[in-house]
Amino acid sequence: MRLGVLWLLLWLASPLAAQTAAPPLRDYAIDVWTSRNGLPHNSLRDIAQTPEGHLWFATWEGLVRYNGLDFTVFDRSTRPGLRDNGIGALLVDRQGGLWITDSRGNVTYRSSAGQWQVWEHGANTPEVLIQSMQMDSQGRLWLLYEGKGIAYLTPETGIVYQPPPPELPLAMSFTKLVVDAQDRVWIGTLDGLVLRDNDGELKRAPAGWGVGKGLTWPYRAPDGALWIVAGERLYRVEDDRLVLVHSLPGQLHMTAMLQDRHGDIWLGTENQGLLRISSHGLERLPAGLNLPGGRVVSLREDAEGSIWVGANGGLYRLRETLFSSYTERDGLSGDYVRTVFEDRDRRLWVGSASGLDQQTADGRFRPMVLHNRGGKAASVLSLAQDPGGDLWVGTFGDGVYRLRADGSLRHNYDAADGMPGGNIRAISVDPSGVVWAGTQKGVVRIDGDRVRVANTPGMPTGLITALEHDHQGNLWIGTIEGIRVLRGDHVQSIDLAPMGGGRSVFGFHQIGEAMWISSDRGLYRWYRNRLSRVGLEQGMPVDAVFQLVPDRLGNVWISSNRGVLRTDMATLNAVADGRAPRVTVERYNEIDGMANAQANGSSAPSAILRQDGTFWVVTAGGLSTVDPQRLQRFRERPAPPAAIENVQVDGAQVHWEGPERNLIPGGRRLAVSFVGLSYLMSDRIRYRTRLDGLDTSWVERGPQRSVEFVGLPPGDYTLHVAASHPGGAWGQQEAVWSFTVEPFWWQRHSVQAMIGLLLLGALVALYRFLLQQYKANNLRLARRVDEATFDLQAQTVHLQALNQEKTELAERLARQAEAFERQAREDALTGLANRRGFDETLARDFARSQRSGHPLSLVVLDIDHFKDVNDTYSHSIGDLVLKEVAEVIAAACRDSDLPARTGGEEFALLLNDTRLEEAAQVCARLRGLFHDHPDWAGVKGLRVTFSAGLVELAADDRTPALLYQRADRALYRAKSDGRDRTSIG
């Protein structure tokens, strides 16, 4: 025992372990698959991975192959088919072939060339489930029959069965059988451990081991070590002695074990989920993850280091991600996080819509009491610290709180102190310790207990979205209408609109002499009194960016509504200087471990670099962080191997695997599907192909997973397929398939030579005949030419005049047709799509979403009490209101969205690739724009609101009309519930 524990401690303390140690279990991203996602059955008995990269799952309803995107099922109904659907165990041999056992005692082998072979159960072998199998050094495949003993299989002898002696507990066999380095066979049972020694005798494990007679089973690790699991204890066999390595607390029934590449131990249990023993201690998965339940039956580490878990209730996968995230399960008051701040004592403060939190020493968060006058937790938008160590907290509607270092309240600055009402989205402290806060009515200065509105001429008087003091003490002020800079008693205005159309400013960050500005039109740089821009046209993947944060390794991290972007400072400066045309950006989102791809902005700070060098960003689903030092490890991830999935000739599938060269008849349509076998970013993999015999270089296909050739000339061809991760190198493990296109009968050389001779003789005869005809016709043609020349000259003048008239008429008709087409689909008052145009687009996007599975959301909204506007102010005012409503809706839309006026005061908004939660945020933002819109149609005090019904395309929506009806019913509920709200259908 002491030797085993010492070995583990030495390994964990070694430099290798420190470099390759896995992150805490809570930092893994988890993906789940069940029968809803394509699995034929939720219970997965075994998992295997063949050398080319495919994953294979054993289920009660067939053998399943997975390529990262699609499940392919092999069962009794497929060709090639299996003898039984109930799959017991899987094993990949040294040649890369896959062995499969089933519930009727059959063994099937699928070679690496795709050939299938079956050994059916015989008269002398049990017709029961084969629970497990392992291969020894002699090539014998050992089989464990459920409750019926063991056997071995070789291609020469077939299945050789060894019935169990009555005194051994093999009638209560467990699902584990292993073969050790000495070719001894170890068998797990519910009543102790059974051994088949090299003399062929079946017997109990040595009594001196003292493992008892309960549930005991073996496991052989990738390093060859033999482990014994007995009750709650884990032993390793060393020199035929048991060494106790771990004794786990509690009444655990362990059912599966895996030692990963880090040396960590993963344990599946009967009813307590998944455990891990690592340098972080004994870990369990966080509660509330809604993972498949029941017994953990199988564990597998794939070639990329992800852990696959097969349970009775489904399949799930744990993978390391670049980002780690914190949510309500880690103690945060709410997942909608708005601001994060590290104070001088390295304490982390987090502000959310549900209050203020502070991170404790154990990494969890505890709430800080910050109640408003109504006793509710304040919604926090901004944080800052003054030279005295006090924390300043800006809120939504509750003023500014000033807290001592221990979190206790010193003062709440509100309307009684002269603080304007509304949002405090930014706070900045100047070098003298004066606190400046951005409100909805301009900038205020808090000096001691005095709150004063900054009234220097030129200061903004509306919503303030960002504040930052530069190195000279000047105050940079971001608004929804550009930038103001307070330089002493002078205000400088910087208009972004002429350069790219920027208006709203979300953040500032000074680097050297340059001030970088985050806005709704990308990044701007103010350097030596000159403005430059790096936006969508220069390679940024999004328009609106919220915060730019450089790290200590040369990276620049940028938060946005569509994930976190990463580039480097040298590239940004080169593009801003005009020395480079475009910026190269990597984008990270949920697949990389972010809590939510939507990073929040218009609050401060919304992203920071902590003193330990880690980057933290607030999102709509929690707080996310990344250590830039881990970036290189993830960027050096090996490229995915490419594999050909199937080949079809004129729509019929052909067997393409194996050493024989395929012969393809000429003139056929050849389609080849392929895949990159990575399970980390499967939908982002890029492909390229090269067909030797046709292509001279690689042809990049992007994410396209198939290629088609029609009418290839006869000859020999070899198709090469390579894959890569986004931004990564192309993989060296290519998929290669060689084939020959056969010629048609008339394309054979002998037939072509005969036809050539016949054609030559026919051409000579034809030449002589034509020569005589030419001489006779030449005289007649000369006369006709002279006669026709005069007529043609007269007709030419007439035709030129007719042609001019025709051209003018065609131009008039084209202009009229274009005007009629636009009027048929466009609302004349608002310029938005009308009902006809909207219905056509809805039908098209509805069909596209059903085919692709992409989300589609629909908003139907109605202007509240619009009749009162017409009755009170006249129909002309009503028309102006409708125009302004259309402008507000259109301004809030993305390029891919479709706003439309569907009739009267009713509008619709079609949101492509948008989930329900994101669509709800769009409605909330749109409602805020309506509320913030003053004096509609120029009428003082006129307030306009809307009621909306919001739905997302569901499986029950068989037609666009049904989807629209659901949205309309939701709109009716919104009106019934009091209007000025969004009801989700």
Side-chain angles (χ1 to χ4, degrees), residues 24 26 46 370 422 449 460 577 593 643 790 809 860 867 880:
R26 66 161 308 282
D46 206 356
L370 199 67
D449 293 330
D577 292 340
F790 178 78
L809 178 60
V860 175
K867 183 176 182 301
L880 290 176

Side-chain angles (χ1 to χ4, degrees), residues 54-104:
H54 281 108
L55 283 170
W56 301 81
F57 306 118
T59 80
W60 285 112
E61 290 296 334
L63 173 69
V64 181
R65 185 180 71 188
Y66 186 50
N67 61 17
L69 296 169
D70 307 307
F71 293 103
T72 302
V73 179
F74 300 88
D75 57 19
R76 294 184 64 241
S77 68
T78 58
R79 294 292 177 269
L82 301 176
R83 295 298 187 267
D84 188 70
N85 288 351
I87 307 301
L90 304 173
L91 177 71
V92 179
D93 63 19
R94 302 180 188 92
Q95 290 73 42
L98 179 67
W99 293 88
I100 307 130
T101 67
D102 64 34
S103 62
R104 298 192 177 220

Side-chain angles (χ1 to χ4, degrees), residues 735-880:
V736 180
W737 176 54
S738 298
F739 62 95
T740 298
V741 176
E742 299 179 302
F744 293 102
W745 64 267
W746 63 81
Q747 293 176 318
R748 296 171 184 166
H749 294 309
S750 57
V751 175
Q752 291 175 344
M754 184 179 298
I755 293 174
L757 291 175
L758 292 174
L759 287 175
L760 180 61
L763 287 173
V764 171
L766 180 63
Y767 172 74
R768 291 178 177 177
F769 173 76
L770 292 176
L771 184 61
Q772 293 177 354
Q773 291 290 320
Y774 171 77
K775 291 178 180 179
N777 291 332
N778 192 44
L779 295 174
R780 290 194 298 270
L781 287 173
R783 289 194 298 271
R784 292 179 181 178
V785 166
D786 292 339
E787 294 170 357
T789 298
F790 178 78
D791 293 334
L792 288 174
Q793 289 174 343
Q795 292 176 7
T796 297
V797 175
H798 181 64
L799 288 175
Q800 287 175 344
L802 291 177
N803 185 60
Q804 179 64 30
E805 293 177 5
K806 181 187 70 173
T807 301
E808 294 174 353
L809 178 60
E811 290 175 351
R812 289 198 300 273
L813 291 174
R815 288 193 297 269
Q816 291 177 357
E818 181 180 357
F820 291 153
E821 181 68 15
R822 184 173 63 255
Q823 292 170 4
R825 290 174 173 79
E826 181 177 289
D827 178 54
L829 177 63
T830 65
L832 300 181
N834 62 15
R835 183 58 182 261
R836 176 182 174 183
F838 174 80
D839 287 345
E840 290 176 354
T841 303
L842 175 60
R844 182 195 65 207
D845 291 352
F846 182 96
R848 181 186 68 81
S849 294
Q850 283 195 323
R851 288 195 306 271
S852 65
H854 289 184
L856 176 69
S857 293
L858 172 64
V859 183
V860 175
L861 59 90
D862 191 277
I863 306 305
D864 296 330
H865 305 298
F866 182 74
K867 183 176 182 301
D868 294 343
V869 175
N870 282 334
D871 294 343
T872 304
Y873 300 98
S874 79
H875 286 275
S876 60
I877 293 297
D879 288 347
L880 290 176

